[in-house]
Amino acid sequence: MFADKDAIGSEFKKILGSDVEISTGLASIKTLYNILNRSTATTAKELSEELRAAAEALEETDYSSTSIRSACELFTRFISLAPADLLDDKDFTTVLNFYRSRGDLFIERIAKSRTLISDCCRPFFKNNSNILTHSYSKVVLKTLLDAREAGIWFHVYVTESQPDSSGRKMLLALREKGIHSTLVLDAAVGYVMERMDMCFLGAEGVMETGGIINKIGTLNLAVCAKYMNKPVYVMAESIKFVKEYPLNQADIPADFKYSSTAIKSKDLQAEHPQVDYTPPQFITLIFTDLGIMTPAAVGEELIKLYT
C-alpha cells in the first residue's frame, strides 16, 4: 500500500522544518529513507514503484523540483546497487535490509557535502577581496562563514534577488556572523561588477551540460561577470546533478521553472519563472563534494553516478 501523497508532503515539510540547515535535496532523501524503512514490499519492482510514487508526491510540493528530482533519482539508484545473488534471495526482507544499510551510507555521505565543498573553496579566497553572490544559498553561506572563521577577511555583496528578496536573508545571516556585507539591487549587478574579485553561486541543479539551474537573475550576473573577466564559482552538492540537457531557457522543464501550484492552475502567462539556466561557458569552476571540476566534466561524473 503506497502512502498518501498529502502524508508524504507533510512528512517532507516536517523534516525541512525540524532543521534550518537541511537542504531540500537531503530532506527529500530522508523522506524516501523513512518510506524505505516502513516498506512492506515483497519484490524489488514493488519497492521501486513505491519510491517512485513518493518522489512524484514530493515534486508536487512547492519546493525546488530540480533539487527534489535529482536527489530522489540518485538515492534510488544508489540503494539499488545490490549484488545479483542477493536479489535472487527468496526472502525480500534481506534485500530490504541491504537497501536500508545503503540508505544509511548515502545519507551519511551527503551530510558531509557542504563541509567538503567549503574545504575545496578555501584556497581560492584572498584577504580583502570583494565577493558577489546571488540570492540565498546554504552551501555558499557555509563556505563564506568557514573562510571567515579561518581568519580570512573579505566583503560580500549580495543581490536583493527579487521577487522574494531572498538576498536579504543571506545579508542578515552574514552580518549576524560579523561578515561585512552590502545589499545590491538586481539591476545594479553591472554597476558593482567591476569592483568584484569573484562571484559565488549556489545551484538548484547542475545539468548534464555543465550549466546550472538557479534562482532567476543568475544568468544576468554570470553574463556580466564573463564580459568583465570575473571568475564565477558554483558550489553544489553532487545530489544536485541532474540528467537534463537544456541548451537554452526554453528547454528548461516547466516543473523546474514554476511552482506546482502555478502549474496546476494551468495559467502560466502571468507567472514569472522562478529560475533560469546559466550555460557552462559562463561558469569558471564547480565545487562539489566530489571535488573541483570544470563544467565540461559534469557529464562524465553523471555517468559515474548512474553506473
Side-chain angles (χ1 to χ4, degrees), residues 166-186:
S166 53
R168 293 181 179 273
K169 181 180 178 182
M170 185 73 160
L171 184 84
L172 292 174
L174 291 167
R175 287 182 174 176
E176 185 180 335
K177 296 297 182 179
I179 294 178
H180 298 300
S181 47
T182 301
L183 190 67
V184 177
L185 293 174
D186 293 334

Side-chain angles (χ1 to χ4, degrees), residues 207-208 241-243 298-306:
M207 304 296 104
E208 195 171 351
F241 283 25
V242 190
K243 290 196 297 181
V298 172
E300 184 179 342
E301 289 299 328
L302 265 168
I303 292 172
K304 292 177 184 178
L305 289 170
Y306 280 94

Side-chain angles (χ1 to χ4, degrees), residues 51-286:
L51 293 177
R52 178 182 52 77
E56 289 176 356
L58 292 175
E59 286 193 53
E60 289 185 14
T61 63
D62 279 339
Y63 291 87
S64 171
S65 178
T66 316
S67 298
I68 291 171
R69 181 184 300 182
S70 58
C72 289
E73 286 181 353
L74 283 169
F75 175 76
T76 304
R77 174 62 182 166
F78 185 84
I79 65 169
S80 62
L81 294 175
D85 57 339
L86 179 64
L87 294 174
D88 291 334
D89 197 314
K90 293 182 179 180
D91 182 8
F92 193 67
T93 303
T94 306
V95 180
L96 275 176
N97 288 335
F98 176 82
Y99 285 171
R100 288 163 184 157
S101 67
R102 293 279 291 177
D104 281 326
L105 181 63
F106 192 75
I107 290 173
E108 182 181 346
R109 193 190 82 186
I110 296 304
K112 300 174 182 176
S113 294
R114 289 182 195 158
T115 299
L116 292 171
I117 292 169
S118 176
D119 291 343
C120 284
C121 291
R122 193 72 44 75
F124 289 78
F125 280 89
K126 294 180 181 179
N127 266 315
N128 302 314
S129 58
N130 290 325
I131 300 169
L132 178 63
T133 189
H134 181 58
S135 187
Y136 177 82
S137 165
K138 291 175 182 176
V139 65
V140 171
L141 177 61
K142 177 172 176 54
T143 299
L144 292 169
L145 296 183
D146 287 352
R148 180 65 194 89
E149 286 185 10
I152 304 169
W153 290 89
F154 48 85
H155 193 111
V156 182
Y157 291 77
V158 187
T159 59
E160 192 173 26
S161 190
Q162 292 294 352
D164 61 0
S165 296
S166 53
R168 293 181 179 273
K169 181 180 178 182
M170 185 73 160
L171 184 84
L172 292 174
L174 291 167
R175 287 182 174 176
E176 185 180 335
K177 296 297 182 179
I179 294 178
H180 298 300
S181 47
T182 301
L183 190 67
V184 177
L185 293 174
D186 293 334
V189 165
Y191 179 82
V192 301
M193 185 63 75
E194 61 186 21
R195 285 182 276 161
M196 298 301 110
D197 294 294
M198 64 190 94
C199 302
F200 283 178
L201 297 173
E204 291 191 15
V206 180
M207 304 296 104
E208 195 171 351
T209 59
I212 63 169
I213 297 288
N214 197 42
K215 176 71 184 295
I216 192 76
T218 300
L219 176 60
N220 298 3
L221 184 152
V223 170
C224 185
K226 178 77 172 181
Y227 179 77
M228 295 190 180
N229 295 314
K230 308 295 182 178
V232 174
Y233 299 131
V234 172
M235 293 152 209
E237 301 93 323
S238 59
I239 57 169
K240 293 182 177 179
F241 283 25
V242 190
K243 290 196 297 181
E244 290 283 347
Y245 206 93
L247 298 176
N248 51 45
Q249 308 305 317
D251 285 346
I252 306 174
D255 57 337
F256 285 9
K257 291 191 285 187
Y258 306 104
S259 68
S260 177
T261 301
I263 291 174
K264 287 176 182 177
S265 72
K266 297 182 179 179
D267 181 19
L268 298 178
Q269 291 186 354
E271 293 288 334
H272 293 286
Q274 298 178 338
V275 300
D276 57 29
Y277 170 64
T278 301
Q281 61 264 34
F282 299 111
I283 297 169
T284 308
L285 290 172
I286 302 175

